[in-house]
Amino acid sequence: MPTLQNPARRRLIRAALRLFAAQGVTETTTKQIAELAEVNEVTLFRQFGSKHGLLLAVIEEAAVFTHIGQTLVQRANQANQSNSLEQALKDYATACLQALGAVPEMVRSVVGEAGQYPSENREALGRGFTQANHYVSEYFQSVIDRGHLHTHLTADKLASLLNGMLLGYAVIEFTSEFHNLWQGRDDFLDNLVTLFLQGAVSPSSEHPQFPPSDVLSPSHPISDLPASLVTAIFQQAKKDPQQYALVYVLFGAGLSPGEIVRLERLHLISTREQQTLQVVQGAIRQVPVNQWIMGKRYGTHLKNPLTQWLKSRKDEQAALFLNADQQPLTETELRGLWQDLTAELLTPNGEPPAIEQAQQTWCIELLMRGMTLEQMQVLTGWTLSQLEPYAQRAREKTVLEQAVRLDQKA
């Protein structure tokens, strides 16, 4: 976020935020904002161009939605340090509705008047919601990890759906009290938490040591990618430093999309002898980043697509991978990047490569190179029964390669 060095600019943004929250955007005039900020109205227009330009600055520079997300997560964490996702959901939902209830006019304006805003203001609103959602997702992930819970949805999707429902509740409550949708806020919260717990979460005892929810279950047919296709994906990604680094981590470390988007710079450990990533989602563990992938070498431990990507960055973000707005990359955005990257490529089955197939390819390659199932347990956090289909596929490929070599000798 840009720093607010100009005192008049800072006072105008604070005054606008206060008035927008109290009486909405439409009812707030530029004259009122200027008077509250104790500056000339001409200064407002010189700084922001219009009231909507000031609204854009409020959203981006005051980081109002990000602040709400950070504050709510902090309050929820302080209120609940247990492993109960049920209590975490209740704490967060209650705090969120309290915060929205404190600024009903702001909520009415943001929702009801959004169609009147220029496109750049609507884009800023979207970025604000996305950033706030990121903090909530991090909070849910910490609760899931502490409780060793299996969720049918990733923390990102869980946060997105929950925030969407909470905002919908707030809009209905602030715009029409004449409805019979629920008996009150407590009734809504109880049903909301029940819905999420029954539809999104399974107790950890039912799924011991289950891999992250976005990992393809080994009960599905294993479908690794041939070396030629992997090379083609690398060639496509080479045009962009971050995409090159992402593909390198997918095939070199075997991480799932959910694990990758939660990586931070401090999770990369580099020495002259090795490079490892500290995985913080699902089974907490360290995974080496291989330089040799499907018969080709991609740099060294100190100079490879990942280190080159980090070297090219000028930002201060902690996240290892970023989106176009220089914010932490989400799983949805990562999957979108993969689809764009592989849009013109097909697997031997005539289908577009799925991002999960990178992890499958990595796992099978390591087994073929001599890793035991027990060793792969340490790297993946999976059980032996979950790894067995990969071992079977590795044996099949090894036999085929041996048969080809015998034929070539003959």
Side-chain angles (χ1 to χ4, degrees):
M1 297 293 174
T3 56
L4 306 178
Q5 299 294 340
N6 187 317
R9 183 183 180 89
R10 182 165 59 249
R11 290 201 302 274
L12 282 165
I13 287 177
R14 288 177 177 173
L17 178 58
R18 179 176 170 185
L19 290 171
F20 290 160
Q23 59 192 37
V25 178
T26 299
E27 296 301 321
T28 299
T29 66
T30 53
K31 183 178 180 181
Q32 291 174 327
I33 297 170
E35 289 178 350
L36 184 59
E38 298 180 344
V39 301
N40 192 292
E41 193 174 3
V42 174
T43 303
L44 185 153
F45 291 113
R46 186 184 301 118
Q47 289 283 337
F48 305 102
S50 65
K51 182 172 69 173
H52 283 125
L54 178 53
L55 173 63
L56 179 62
V58 168
I59 294 169
E60 291 188 327
E61 298 184 25
V64 57
F65 294 115
T66 297
H67 176 68
I68 289 174
Q70 290 172 319
T71 302
L72 292 175
V73 170
Q74 183 180 28
R75 286 175 58 186
N77 267 315
Q78 291 172 348
N80 173 48
Q81 293 295 334
S82 72
N83 287 335
S84 169
L85 185 59
E86 178 180 5
Q87 192 60 47
L89 288 167
K90 285 184 177 179
D91 288 344
Y92 171 72
T94 300
C96 184
L97 292 181
Q98 287 175 349
L100 292 172
V103 288
E105 294 298 334
M106 183 77 168
V107 174
R108 291 190 188 102
S109 287
V110 168
V111 175
E113 302 164 21
Q116 305 171 25
Y117 303 159
S119 60
E120 60 267 22
N121 296 80
R122 296 198 297 274
E123 289 177 9
L125 281 171
R127 290 196 297 271
F129 286 130
T130 299
Q131 184 61 22
N133 200 72
H134 171 71
Y135 290 101
V136 180
S137 172
E138 284 188 343
Y139 169 57
F140 285 151
Q141 189 60 53
S142 68
V143 175
I144 290 167
D145 290 341
R146 286 201 305 267
H148 303 291
L149 304 173
H150 165 58
T151 60
H152 305 302
L153 300 172
T154 64
D156 281 341
K157 291 183 175 65
L158 185 65
S160 298
L161 287 172
L162 182 61
N163 283 334
M165 291 182 179
L166 291 172
L167 182 58
Y169 170 89
V171 170
I172 293 173
E173 284 296 293
F174 298 162
T175 57
S176 174
E177 67 274 24
F178 302 104
H179 65 78
N180 296 309
L181 300 179
W182 42 76
Q183 296 178 0
R185 179 174 295 185
D186 290 340
D187 179 46
F188 169 78
L189 289 174
D190 287 342
N191 284 281
L192 178 68
V193 172
T194 299
L195 173 66
F196 269 83
L197 290 177
Q198 292 184 358
V201 183
S202 298
S204 57
S205 58
E206 294 180 16
H207 298 273
Q209 300 182 6
F210 202 86
S213 60
D214 53 358
V215 176
L216 272 183
S217 169
S219 61
H220 291 274
I222 304 303
S223 182
D224 54 302
L225 301 175
S228 59
L229 182 52
V230 173
T231 300
I233 294 173
F234 268 99
Q235 288 298 320
Q236 287 286 96
K238 200 171 184 179
K239 303 169 187 176
D240 180 270
Q242 176 170 251
Q243 291 184 9
Y244 200 31
L246 279 166
V247 170
Y248 177 64
V249 172
L250 280 164
F251 285 103
L255 301 188
S256 69
E259 291 168 337
I260 286 178
V261 297
R262 285 175 177 81
L263 289 173
E264 297 186 354
R265 296 192 202 208
L266 57 84
H267 296 144
L268 176 64
I269 305 167
S270 293
T271 68
R272 290 188 176 277
E273 291 74 32
Q274 65 176 7
Q275 189 176 54
T276 59
L277 287 167
Q278 179 74 30
V279 182
V280 295
Q281 185 197 23
I284 307 302
R285 63 198 190 280
Q286 285 190 352
V287 180
V289 186
N290 300 327
Q291 271 70 62
W292 285 93
I293 300 170
M294 304 297 284
K296 292 184 179 292
R297 187 174 187 179
Y298 295 89
T300 66
H301 293 300
L302 297 181
K303 186 177 181 181
N304 54 59
L306 182 56
T307 58
Q308 292 299 101
W309 154 241
L310 292 175
K311 186 178 179 180
S312 71
R313 285 174 54 175
K314 307 299 181 184
D315 61 273
E316 299 299 324
Q317 278 282 6
L320 201 59
F321 298 109
L322 307 174
N323 61 19
D325 297 319
Q326 299 299 297
Q327 298 300 320
L329 188 70
T330 67
E331 184 180 337
T332 300
E333 290 166 338
L334 172 57
R335 291 180 179 276
L337 285 176
W338 173 271
Q339 289 178 353
D340 292 341
L341 193 64
T342 61
E344 299 178 0
L345 302 174
L346 294 176
T347 67
N349 294 331
E351 300 174 349
I355 194 170
E356 287 81 5
Q357 289 179 281
Q359 188 178 45
Q360 294 185 357
T361 303
W362 166 83
C363 184
I364 292 168
E365 183 184 16
L366 287 190
L367 288 168
M368 292 180 65
R369 288 165 64 176
M371 294 290 288
T372 66
L373 289 181
E374 289 74 15
Q375 291 169 334
M376 292 302 295
Q377 272 189 287
V378 176
L379 293 184
T380 61
W382 303 348
T383 65
L384 288 175
S385 61
Q386 289 162 352
L387 283 166
E388 180 53 41
Y390 293 92
Q392 178 60 32
R393 174 59 178 159
R395 287 192 290 268
E396 292 172 358
K397 290 191 68 175
T398 300
V399 170
L400 288 172
E401 289 185 1
Q402 179 65 15
V404 170
R405 282 195 294 270
L406 288 174
D407 183 64
Q408 290 172 344
K409 280 185 179 181

